[in-house]
Amino acid sequence: MTKHVIDKPKDRSAIKAREYARLEREGGLHRSVKRLHARSLGARGAARLRQFLRIERGHEA
């Protein structure tokens, strides 16, 4: 008598370890994310950042 189609082995630790290793290997940042981190803020973005930092430091206008 053969196993039923939905019968699966109980110990799936080897499969989980292999998949975890694959995900870690492929887990770097995506190209688009790297580009976003590398791009400059521009004049408006830098001014907004200065204002947020000023408020965070407690220097209210």
Side-chain angles (χ1 to χ4, degrees):
M1 189 160 158
T2 60
K3 287 187 174 184
H4 192 270
V5 175
I6 62 172
D7 284 344
K8 301 282 184 198
K10 297 293 181 191
D11 185 24
R12 297 179 56 86
S13 60
I15 296 170
K16 287 181 182 180
R18 184 179 66 225
E19 285 299 308
Y20 179 76
R22 182 184 63 81
L23 289 173
E24 283 296 314
R25 191 171 47 250
E26 297 172 355
L29 291 177
H30 194 267
R31 285 187 313 264
S32 60
V33 174
K34 287 180 183 177
R35 274 190 241 134
L36 284 173
H37 285 291
R39 77 177 190 186
S40 66
L41 288 175
R44 185 174 178 204
R48 287 188 72 195
L49 179 60
R50 274 196 304 276
Q51 294 300 323
F52 281 117
L53 291 174
R54 179 186 56 80
I55 293 169
E56 183 67 27
R57 291 182 189 121
H59 299 292
E60 296 291 328

Coordinates of all heavy atoms in Angstrom, one line a residue:
M1 N 0.8 -1.2 0.0 CA 0.0 0.0 0.0 C 0.9 1.2 0.0 O 1.8 1.4 0.8 CB -0.9 0.0 1.3 CG -1.9 1.0 1.3 SD -3.1 0.5 2.5 CE -3.9 1.9 2.9
T2 N 0.6 2.2 -0.9 CA 1.4 3.4 -1.0 C 0.9 4.5 -0.1 O -0.3 4.4 0.4 CB 1.4 3.9 -2.4 OG1 0.1 4.2 -2.8 CG2 2.0 2.8 -3.4
K3 N 1.7 5.5 0.1 CA 1.2 6.6 0.9 C 0.2 7.5 0.2 O 0.2 7.5 -1.0 CB 2.4 7.5 1.3 CG 3.4 7.0 2.3 CD 4.4 8.0 2.6 CE 5.3 7.5 3.8 NZ 6.2 8.5 4.2
H4 N -0.6 8.1 1.0 CA -1.6 9.0 0.4 C -0.9 10.3 -0.1 O 0.2 10.6 0.3 CB -2.7 9.4 1.5 CG -3.9 10.1 0.9 ND1 -4.0 11.4 0.7 CD2 -5.0 9.5 0.4 CE1 -5.1 11.7 0.2 NE2 -5.8 10.6 0.0
V5 N -1.5 10.9 -1.1 CA -1.0 12.1 -1.7 C -0.6 13.2 -0.7 O 0.4 13.9 -0.9 CB -1.9 12.6 -2.8 CG1 -1.4 13.9 -3.4 CG2 -2.2 11.6 -3.9
I6 N -1.5 13.4 0.3 CA -1.2 14.5 1.2 C -0.4 14.1 2.4 O -0.1 15.0 3.3 CB -2.6 15.1 1.7 CG1 -3.4 14.0 2.5 CG2 -3.4 15.7 0.6 CD1 -4.6 14.6 3.2
D7 N 0.1 12.9 2.5 CA 1.0 12.5 3.5 C 2.4 13.2 3.3 O 3.0 13.1 2.3 CB 1.2 11.0 3.6 CG 0.0 10.2 4.2 OD1 -0.8 10.9 4.8 OD2 0.0 9.0 3.9
K8 N 2.8 13.9 4.3 CA 4.1 14.6 4.3 C 5.0 14.1 5.4 O 4.5 13.7 6.5 CB 3.9 16.1 4.5 CG 3.0 16.7 3.5 CD 3.7 17.0 2.2 CE 2.8 17.7 1.3 NZ 3.2 17.6 -0.1
P9 N 6.3 14.1 5.2 CA 7.2 13.7 6.3 C 7.1 14.7 7.5 O 6.9 15.9 7.2 CB 8.6 13.7 5.7 CG 8.4 14.5 4.5 CD 7.0 14.4 4.0
K10 N 7.2 14.2 8.7 CA 7.0 15.1 9.9 C 8.2 16.0 10.1 O 8.1 17.1 10.5 CB 6.8 14.3 11.1 CG 5.5 13.5 11.1 CD 4.3 14.4 11.1 CE 3.0 13.5 11.0 NZ 1.8 14.2 10.8
D11 N 9.4 15.5 9.8 CA 10.6 16.3 10.0 C 10.9 17.1 8.8 O 11.4 16.6 7.8 CB 11.8 15.3 10.3 CG 13.0 16.1 10.7 OD1 12.9 17.3 11.1 OD2 14.1 15.6 10.5
R12 N 10.7 18.4 8.9 CA 10.9 19.3 7.7 C 12.1 20.2 8.0 O 12.2 21.3 7.4 CB 9.6 20.1 7.4 CG 8.5 19.2 6.9 CD 7.2 19.9 6.6 NE 7.4 21.0 5.6 CZ 7.3 20.8 4.3 NH1 7.1 19.6 3.8 NH2 7.4 21.8 3.5
S13 N 12.9 19.9 9.1 CA 13.9 20.8 9.5 C 15.0 21.0 8.4 O 15.5 22.1 8.2 CB 14.6 20.4 10.7 OG 15.2 19.1 10.6
A14 N 15.3 20.0 7.6 CA 16.3 20.1 6.5 C 15.7 21.1 5.4 O 16.5 21.9 4.9 CB 16.6 18.8 5.9
I15 N 14.5 21.0 5.1 CA 13.9 21.8 4.1 C 13.8 23.3 4.6 O 14.2 24.2 3.9 CB 12.4 21.3 3.8 CG1 12.5 20.0 3.1 CG2 11.7 22.3 2.9 CD1 11.2 19.3 3.0
K16 N 13.5 23.5 5.9 CA 13.5 24.8 6.5 C 14.8 25.4 6.5 O 15.0 26.6 6.2 CB 12.9 24.8 7.9 CG 11.4 24.5 7.9 CD 10.9 24.5 9.4 CE 9.5 24.3 9.5 NZ 9.0 24.3 10.8
A17 N 15.9 24.6 6.9 CA 17.2 25.1 6.9 C 17.7 25.5 5.5 O 18.3 26.6 5.3 CB 18.2 24.1 7.5
R18 N 17.4 24.7 4.5 CA 17.8 25.0 3.1 C 17.1 26.3 2.6 O 17.7 27.2 2.0 CB 17.4 23.9 2.2 CG 17.9 24.1 0.8 CD 17.5 22.9 -0.1 NE 16.1 22.9 -0.3 CZ 15.4 21.7 -0.2 NH1 16.0 20.6 0.0 NH2 14.1 21.7 -0.3
E19 N 15.8 26.5 2.9 CA 15.1 27.7 2.5 C 15.6 28.9 3.3 O 15.7 30.0 2.7 CB 13.6 27.5 2.7 CG 12.9 26.6 1.7 CD 13.1 27.2 0.3 OE1 12.7 28.3 0.1 OE2 13.6 26.4 -0.5
Y20 N 15.9 28.8 4.5 CA 16.5 29.9 5.3 C 17.8 30.3 4.7 O 18.1 31.5 4.6 CB 16.6 29.5 6.8 CG 17.2 30.6 7.6 CD1 16.5 31.6 8.0 CD2 18.6 30.5 8.0 CE1 17.0 32.6 8.8 CE2 19.1 31.5 8.8 CZ 18.4 32.6 9.2 OH 18.9 33.6 9.9
A21 N 18.7 29.4 4.4 CA 20.0 29.7 3.8 C 19.8 30.4 2.5 O 20.5 31.3 2.1 CB 20.8 28.4 3.6
R22 N 18.8 30.0 1.7 CA 18.6 30.6 0.4 C 18.1 32.0 0.6 O 18.6 32.9 -0.1 CB 17.5 29.8 -0.4 CG 17.2 30.4 -1.8 CD 16.1 29.6 -2.5 NE 14.8 29.8 -1.8 CZ 14.0 30.8 -1.9 NH1 14.3 31.9 -2.6 NH2 12.9 30.9 -1.2
L23 N 17.2 32.3 1.5 CA 16.7 33.6 1.7 C 17.8 34.5 2.2 O 17.9 35.7 1.9 CB 15.6 33.6 2.7 CG 14.3 33.0 2.2 CD1 13.3 32.9 3.4 CD2 13.7 33.9 1.1
E24 N 18.7 34.0 3.1 CA 19.8 34.8 3.6 C 20.8 35.2 2.5 O 21.3 36.3 2.4 CB 20.5 34.1 4.7 CG 19.8 34.1 6.0 CD 19.7 35.5 6.6 OE1 20.7 36.3 6.6 OE2 18.6 35.9 7.0
R25 N 21.0 34.2 1.6 CA 21.9 34.4 0.5 C 21.4 35.5 -0.5 O 22.1 36.3 -1.0 CB 22.1 33.1 -0.2 CG 23.2 33.1 -1.2 CD 23.5 31.7 -1.8 NE 22.3 30.9 -2.2 CZ 21.8 29.9 -1.5 NH1 22.4 29.4 -0.4 NH2 20.7 29.2 -2.0
E26 N 20.1 35.5 -0.7 CA 19.5 36.4 -1.6 C 19.0 37.7 -0.9 O 18.4 38.6 -1.5 CB 18.2 35.8 -2.2 CG 18.6 34.6 -3.1 CD 17.3 33.9 -3.6 OE1 16.2 34.3 -3.1 OE2 17.4 32.9 -4.3
G27 N 19.3 37.8 0.4 CA 18.7 38.9 1.2 C 19.2 40.2 1.2 O 18.9 41.1 2.0
G28 N 20.1 40.6 0.2 CA 20.6 41.9 0.1 C 19.6 42.9 -0.2 O 18.4 42.6 -0.6
L29 N 19.9 44.2 -0.2 CA 19.0 45.2 -0.6 C 18.7 45.2 -2.1 O 19.6 44.9 -2.9 CB 19.5 46.6 -0.2 CG 19.6 46.9 1.3 CD1 20.2 48.3 1.5 CD2 18.2 46.9 1.9
H30 N 17.5 45.5 -2.5 CA 17.2 45.6 -3.9 C 17.8 46.8 -4.5 O 18.1 47.8 -3.8 CB 15.6 45.6 -4.0 CG 15.1 45.4 -5.4 ND1 14.9 46.4 -6.3 CD2 14.8 44.2 -6.0 CE1 14.5 45.9 -7.4 NE2 14.4 44.6 -7.3
R31 N 18.1 46.7 -5.8 CA 18.7 47.8 -6.5 C 18.0 49.1 -6.3 O 18.6 50.2 -6.1 CB 18.8 47.5 -8.0 CG 19.8 46.5 -8.4 CD 19.9 46.4 -9.9 NE 18.6 46.3 -10.6 CZ 18.0 45.2 -11.0 NH1 18.6 44.0 -10.7 NH2 16.9 45.2 -11.5
S32 N 16.7 49.1 -6.4 CA 15.9 50.4 -6.3 C 16.1 50.9 -4.9 O 16.2 52.2 -4.7 CB 14.5 50.1 -6.6 OG 13.9 49.2 -5.7
V33 N 16.2 50.1 -3.9 CA 16.4 50.6 -2.5 C 17.7 51.2 -2.4 O 17.9 52.3 -1.7 CB 16.2 49.5 -1.5 CG1 16.5 49.9 -0.1 CG2 14.7 48.9 -1.5
K34 N 18.7 50.6 -2.9 CA 20.1 51.2 -2.9 C 20.1 52.5 -3.6 O 20.8 53.4 -3.1 CB 21.1 50.2 -3.6 CG 21.4 49.0 -2.8 CD 22.3 48.1 -3.5 CE 22.6 46.8 -2.7 NZ 23.5 45.9 -3.4
R35 N 19.4 52.6 -4.7 CA 19.4 53.9 -5.4 C 18.7 55.0 -4.6 O 19.2 56.2 -4.5 CB 18.7 53.8 -6.7 CG 19.6 53.3 -7.8 CD 18.9 53.4 -9.2 NE 18.8 52.1 -9.7 CZ 17.8 51.5 -10.3 NH1 16.7 52.2 -10.4 NH2 17.9 50.3 -10.7
L36 N 17.7 54.7 -3.9 CA 17.0 55.6 -3.0 C 17.8 56.1 -1.9 O 17.8 57.3 -1.5 CB 15.7 55.0 -2.5 CG 14.5 54.9 -3.5 CD1 13.4 54.2 -2.8 CD2 14.0 56.3 -3.9
H37 N 18.6 55.2 -1.3 CA 19.5 55.6 -0.2 C 20.6 56.4 -0.7 O 21.2 57.3 0.0 CB 20.0 54.3 0.5 CG 19.1 53.7 1.4 ND1 18.6 54.2 2.6 CD2 18.4 52.5 1.3 CE1 17.7 53.4 3.1 NE2 17.6 52.4 2.4
A38 N 21.1 56.2 -1.9 CA 22.2 56.9 -2.5 C 21.9 58.3 -3.0 O 22.8 59.2 -3.1 CB 22.8 56.1 -3.6
R39 N 20.6 58.6 -3.4 CA 20.3 59.9 -4.0 C 20.3 61.0 -2.9 O 20.1 60.7 -1.7 CB 19.0 59.8 -4.7 CG 17.8 59.9 -3.8 CD 16.5 59.9 -4.7 NE 15.4 60.2 -3.8 CZ 14.2 60.2 -4.2 NH1 13.9 59.9 -5.5 NH2 13.2 60.4 -3.4
S40 N 20.6 62.2 -3.4 CA 20.7 63.3 -2.5 C 19.3 63.8 -2.2 O 18.3 63.6 -2.9 CB 21.5 64.4 -3.1 OG 20.8 64.9 -4.2
L41 N 19.2 64.6 -1.1 CA 17.9 65.1 -0.7 C 17.5 66.3 -1.5 O 16.3 66.5 -1.6 CB 18.0 65.6 0.8 CG 18.1 64.5 1.9 CD1 18.3 65.2 3.2 CD2 16.9 63.7 1.9
G42 N 18.4 67.0 -2.1 CA 18.0 68.2 -2.8 C 17.9 69.4 -1.9 O 17.9 69.2 -0.7
A43 N 17.6 70.6 -2.4 CA 17.6 71.8 -1.6 C 16.4 71.7 -0.7 O 16.5 72.0 0.5 CB 17.5 73.0 -2.5
R44 N 15.2 71.4 -1.2 CA 14.0 71.4 -0.4 C 14.1 70.3 0.7 O 13.7 70.6 1.9 CB 12.8 71.1 -1.2 CG 11.5 71.3 -0.5 CD 10.3 71.2 -1.4 NE 9.1 71.3 -0.6 CZ 8.0 70.8 -1.0 NH1 7.8 70.2 -2.2 NH2 6.9 70.9 -0.2
G45 N 14.6 69.1 0.4 CA 14.7 68.1 1.4 C 15.6 68.4 2.5 O 15.4 68.1 3.6
A46 N 16.8 69.0 2.1 CA 17.8 69.4 3.1 C 17.2 70.4 4.1 O 17.4 70.4 5.3 CB 19.0 69.9 2.4
A47 N 16.4 71.4 3.5 CA 15.8 72.4 4.4 C 14.8 71.8 5.3 O 14.8 72.2 6.5 CB 15.2 73.5 3.5
R48 N 14.0 70.9 4.8 CA 13.0 70.2 5.7 C 13.7 69.5 6.8 O 13.3 69.5 8.0 CB 12.2 69.3 4.9 CG 11.1 70.0 4.1 CD 10.2 69.0 3.4 NE 9.3 68.5 4.5 CZ 8.5 67.4 4.4 NH1 8.5 66.7 3.3 NH2 7.7 67.1 5.3
L49 N 14.8 68.8 6.5 CA 15.6 68.0 7.4 C 16.2 69.0 8.5 O 16.1 68.6 9.7 CB 16.7 67.2 6.8 CG 17.6 66.4 7.7 CD1 16.8 65.4 8.4 CD2 18.7 65.8 6.9
R50 N 16.7 70.1 8.1 CA 17.2 71.1 9.1 C 16.1 71.5 10.0 O 16.3 71.6 11.3 CB 17.8 72.3 8.4 CG 19.2 72.1 8.0 CD 19.9 73.4 7.6 NE 19.2 74.1 6.6 CZ 19.4 73.9 5.2 NH1 20.2 73.0 4.8 NH2 18.7 74.6 4.4
Q51 N 14.9 71.8 9.5 CA 13.8 72.2 10.4 C 13.4 71.1 11.3 O 13.1 71.4 12.5 CB 12.6 72.6 9.5 CG 12.9 73.9 8.7 CD 13.2 75.1 9.5 OE1 12.7 75.3 10.6 NE2 14.1 75.9 9.0
F52 N 13.3 69.9 10.9 CA 12.9 68.8 11.8 C 14.0 68.6 12.9 O 13.6 68.4 14.0 CB 12.8 67.5 11.0 CG 11.5 67.3 10.3 CD1 11.4 67.3 8.9 CD2 10.3 67.3 11.0 CE1 10.3 67.1 8.2 CE2 9.1 67.2 10.3 CZ 9.1 67.1 8.9
L53 N 15.2 68.7 12.5 CA 16.3 68.6 13.5 C 16.3 69.7 14.5 O 16.5 69.5 15.7 CB 17.7 68.5 12.8 CG 17.9 67.2 12.0 CD1 19.2 67.3 11.3 CD2 17.8 66.0 12.9
R54 N 16.0 70.9 14.0 CA 15.9 72.1 14.9 C 14.8 71.9 15.9 O 15.0 72.1 17.1 CB 15.6 73.3 14.1 CG 15.5 74.6 15.0 CD 15.1 75.8 14.1 NE 13.9 75.6 13.3 CZ 12.6 75.7 13.9 NH1 12.4 76.1 15.1 NH2 11.6 75.5 13.1
I55 N 13.6 71.4 15.5 CA 12.5 71.2 16.4 C 12.8 70.0 17.4 O 12.5 70.1 18.5 CB 11.2 70.9 15.6 CG1 10.8 72.1 14.8 CG2 10.1 70.4 16.5 CD1 9.7 71.8 13.8
E56 N 13.5 69.0 16.9 CA 13.8 67.9 17.7 C 14.8 68.3 18.8 O 14.7 67.8 19.9 CB 14.5 66.8 16.9 CG 14.8 65.5 17.6 CD 13.6 64.8 18.1 OE1 12.5 64.9 17.5 OE2 13.7 64.0 19.1
R57 N 15.7 69.2 18.5 CA 16.6 69.7 19.6 C 16.0 70.6 20.6 O 16.6 71.0 21.6 CB 17.8 70.4 18.9 CG 18.7 69.5 18.1 CD 19.8 70.3 17.5 NE 20.5 69.4 16.6 CZ 20.7 69.7 15.3 NH1 20.3 70.8 14.8 NH2 21.4 68.8 14.5
G58 N 14.7 71.0 20.3 CA 14.0 71.9 21.2 C 14.1 73.4 20.9 O 13.6 74.2 21.7
H59 N 14.6 73.7 19.8 CA 14.6 75.1 19.4 C 13.4 75.5 18.6 O 13.3 75.4 17.4 CB 15.9 75.4 18.5 CG 17.1 75.1 19.2 ND1 17.6 75.9 20.3 CD2 18.1 74.2 19.0 CE1 18.7 75.4 20.7 NE2 19.0 74.3 19.9
E60 N 12.3 75.9 19.4 CA 11.1 76.3 18.7 C 11.2 77.7 18.2 O 11.9 78.6 18.7 CB 9.9 76.2 19.7 CG 9.7 74.9 20.2 CD 9.1 73.9 19.2 OE1 8.4 74.4 18.3 OE2 9.4 72.7 19.3
A61 N 10.6 78.0 17.1 CA 10.7 79.3 16.5 C 9.9 80.4 17.2 O 9.0 80.2 18.0 CB 10.1 79.3 15.0

